[in-house]
Every structure is written in structure tokens, then in C-alpha cells.
Amino acid sequence: FFFYYRHPSSHPPATLKSIALFSSIDKHNITATMATGVQVGDEVVKSFSAFKLQQEPYNLRYFIYEIKDKKTITIEKQGAREKTYDDLVEELPENDCRYVLIDIDFESSDGRPTSKIVFITWNPDTAKIRSKMLYSGSKEALKSALTGVGIHINATDHSELDFETAILPALKKFT
């Protein structure tokens, strides 16, 4: 998978840069690395498998992931099953980026109780440019490690995190 980027101040074709997603899989490890050099931590991959099945000790509501030392995506926080979506939003930093994986319980359009696992990229407008670029450029590595998550939401301010107007309509598209 290649993505080509041309800086707006550069002249055409001569200054194209490429960002590639490199993945390697062996029978013990799955690693995904972006050209940013950021890798997904082993605990992220292991916990995700148990989280999907709601197995102990990962029968949780959500994970908040951060990029540690500009090198590794790690679990920053975990939300107990009793926590809510609003609790998650309160835990997100106001001026820095994060990734979120949350299991949301809701009622489908036809009235059935259901749940979906959702991946949210929190990339607030108020974050530093370097952080926004690092998180944007490394998102695909984490998405490839979280196989089977079909709902991806990008949020740049709190209005895009509003459950009733932004999140719930996106969830109902998949039920």
C-alpha cells in the first residue's frame, strides 16, 4: 500500500514523497510499521483479541492508545465495562491526539439492542502540528493490527464526538 504526498510549496513531480505500510507476519508476531517509524506494541495486539471476545482481563468498555516516544503505539488507559461513552470523552486530552477503541451498546433502528466496536482517531484542531502529523501518519499501522473493526471515525473537535449527532448515526449505518 503506497500513499504519495506532494508538499504544497514544492514543484510538481520532482518532490513526491511516499509513505508505505510495511507489515510482517510470522507465527508468533504481527508487526505493522508506518514510514513514520511508529510500531504497534505487542500488548495492543494481544489485548485486542481478548477484547473482541470480552475475555478476562479485557472485558472492558474501551482502550485509549497513545504514541510513546514517537516510536510505539501503547495502551494509555482502559475503561472498565461499567464506564460510558461520556466517561471516555472526558478522558481524552484537550490538546493532544489519541486513538480510541470502544465497544458501544446501542439500540438499532428497528429497536434491537446491539453493540459495535468502533475505532476513533482523536486529532483535535488544538493539538501541535507535529503530533497531528505523527498520529495521522501512523493510524494505518494500528488499524491493520485491529482486524475486524469496521467503523472508523475521525474527530477533530468535541462536536464530532457528540454521541447523538455524530457517533450514533454512524453506528446505525452498520445495523
Side-chain angles (χ1 to χ4, degrees):
F1 169 74
F2 285 92
F3 169 78
Y4 290 98
Y5 168 75
R6 184 177 65 83
H7 190 274
S9 65
S10 64
H11 298 286
T15 56
L16 284 177
K17 296 180 180 179
S18 66
I19 299 174
L21 171 65
F22 301 99
S23 293
S24 64
I25 301 174
D26 65 33
K27 66 180 183 178
H28 301 293
N29 296 308
I30 298 174
T31 59
T33 307
M34 288 304 294
T36 58
V38 174
Q39 294 185 347
V40 178
D42 292 337
E43 185 63 23
V44 171
V45 176
K46 291 175 189 171
S47 63
F48 175 66
S49 298
F51 178 71
K52 282 194 302 189
L53 301 172
Q54 286 296 294
Q55 295 175 331
E56 289 286 344
Y58 298 108
N59 55 333
L60 304 167
R61 176 67 60 200
Y62 58 82
F63 288 103
I64 298 176
Y65 303 108
E66 68 177 335
I67 298 177
K68 273 273 205 234
D69 303 322
K70 300 178 186 172
K71 294 179 184 174
T72 308
I73 298 172
T74 62
I75 299 169
E76 178 187 34
K77 297 178 183 176
Q78 300 175 6
R81 194 73 196 158
E82 303 77 42
K83 296 270 189 161
T84 66
Y85 177 79
D86 291 333
D87 294 331
L88 162 72
V89 172
E90 287 177 20
E91 289 196 53
L92 291 173
E94 192 68 35
N95 299 312
D96 202 3
C97 306
R98 292 294 184 272
Y99 304 115
V100 172
L101 189 69
I102 182 167
D103 186 6
I104 300 179
D105 296 324
F106 65 101
E107 194 172 283
S108 67
S109 300
D110 60 1
R112 292 177 294 114
T114 189
S115 70
K116 293 283 181 196
I117 296 177
V118 179
F119 177 75
I120 300 172
T121 303
W122 172 238
N123 208 342
D125 293 329
T126 56
K128 293 180 182 175
I129 300 271
R130 183 177 297 262
S131 179
K132 289 166 49 166
M133 290 180 66
L134 183 64
Y135 276 79
S136 294
S138 304
K139 177 172 66 172
E140 290 302 320
L142 182 56
K143 283 172 58 175
S144 70
L146 305 177
T147 55
V149 178
I151 303 173
H152 303 258
I153 296 172
N154 297 313
T156 57
D157 63 40
H158 281 282
S159 69
E160 294 174 337
L161 288 175
D162 184 76
F163 188 77
E164 294 297 325
T165 60
I167 305 301
L168 192 57
L171 290 171
K172 289 190 175 186
K173 288 180 186 176
F174 292 93
T175 58

